[in-house]
Amino acid sequence: MAEIHQPFTQESAMRKVKAMQALWNAQDAERIGQACVAFCWYRHQGTFMRGREEIVDFLAEKWRRETRYKVCIEPWAVDGNRIAVQFWSEFYVEGEGEKDGEEEGTAGQWWRCYGLEDWTFTWNGFMLKCMMSGNDVKIDEEERWFGNYVDSTIPREALRFMDS
């Protein structure tokens, strides 16, 4: 992924975003960590991390709890070494686990997260900073948008609020 570096164009930003989407959908914490500089600042909702090791540990634990994880990431702003994205993810919290910061009874539940991230990259294409803000919503299995794959299109249901 480092071969796609700044200054980003709309086209190169899309390639960078889809490469990151593929890593997240593969739940490959090690490779995501390798895409970051050693001292990367990383925020995931209320969790703040500094450095590859903390990022990899966080993601490995996240995906231990949140199984069947799928995400669709779309760029919405590009400026030099920065890319802002919007995303939609879905995951399932298994029977033994509980979702971070949630009340009991979250196990055995499907979730969707809606969010925004701002990414900053070094001159040679490694992530320097990722700040994620997202909201998790309980959903029923029938409400899922993603099956076993995510294509490059935004789910139509995600845009229904614009149809008026």
Side-chain angles (χ1 to χ4, degrees), residues 19-58:
M20 187 62 79
Q21 175 181 295
L23 289 179
W24 275 75
N25 282 328
Q27 298 178 22
D28 193 337
E30 289 292 332
R31 286 194 54 210
I32 291 170
Q34 291 169 7
C36 301
V37 294
F39 51 89
C40 182
W41 287 96
Y42 210 93
R43 172 182 171 243
H44 187 277
Q45 293 174 310
T47 303
F48 294 82
M49 295 150 272
R50 179 76 192 256
R52 276 190 199 128
E53 187 175 330
E54 288 183 22
I55 295 165
V56 169
D57 289 348
F58 171 82

Side-chain angles (χ1 to χ4, degrees), residues 88-105:
W88 303 266
S89 64
E90 292 178 350
F91 56 90
Y92 186 78
V93 176
E94 295 294 342
E96 293 298 314
E98 288 190 15
K99 199 174 150 332
D100 279 348
E102 291 291 331
E103 69 281 354
E104 289 187 35

Side-chain angles (χ1 to χ4, degrees), residues 5-160:
H5 52 80
Q6 55 111 347
F8 293 109
T9 63
Q10 291 294 328
E11 180 184 327
S12 64
M14 178 63 86
R15 287 196 328 268
K16 190 75 152 182
V17 167
K18 292 306 171 182
M20 187 62 79
Q21 175 181 295
L23 289 179
W24 275 75
N25 282 328
Q27 298 178 22
D28 193 337
E30 289 292 332
R31 286 194 54 210
I32 291 170
Q34 291 169 7
C36 301
V37 294
F39 51 89
C40 182
W41 287 96
Y42 210 93
R43 172 182 171 243
H44 187 277
Q45 293 174 310
T47 303
F48 294 82
M49 295 150 272
R50 179 76 192 256
R52 276 190 199 128
E53 187 175 330
E54 288 183 22
I55 295 165
V56 169
D57 289 348
F58 171 82
L59 292 174
E61 177 61 21
K62 171 184 176 58
W63 290 322
R64 185 192 63 73
R65 287 185 322 274
E66 300 175 7
T67 63
R68 297 185 255 174
Y69 182 92
K70 295 295 174 208
V71 65
C72 180
I73 308 173
E74 295 291 331
W76 61 271
V78 178
D79 183 24
N81 69 333
R82 297 176 303 184
I83 303 173
V85 300
Q86 58 186 346
F87 69 90
W88 303 266
S89 64
E90 292 178 350
F91 56 90
Y92 186 78
V93 176
E94 295 294 342
E96 293 298 314
E98 288 190 15
K99 199 174 150 332
D100 279 348
E102 291 291 331
E103 69 281 354
E104 289 187 35
T106 59
Q109 175 66 55
W110 278 100
W111 294 83
R112 182 175 301 125
C113 182
Y114 302 87
L116 302 171
E117 293 184 354
D118 96 70
W119 301 345
T120 303
F121 295 90
T122 61
W123 67 270
N124 57 349
F126 290 92
M127 187 171 282
L128 178 62
K129 177 184 68 124
C130 173
M131 296 289 135
M132 181 276 224
S133 180
N135 297 304
D136 295 334
V137 177
K138 288 181 181 181
I139 60 170
D140 292 328
E141 186 166 6
E142 307 79 57
E143 297 176 287
R144 292 181 60 216
W145 290 338
F146 310 129
N148 293 325
Y149 69 94
V150 175
D151 65 18
S152 62
T153 61
I154 300 171
R156 187 69 205 140
E157 294 84 353
L159 300 177
R160 70 173 172 245

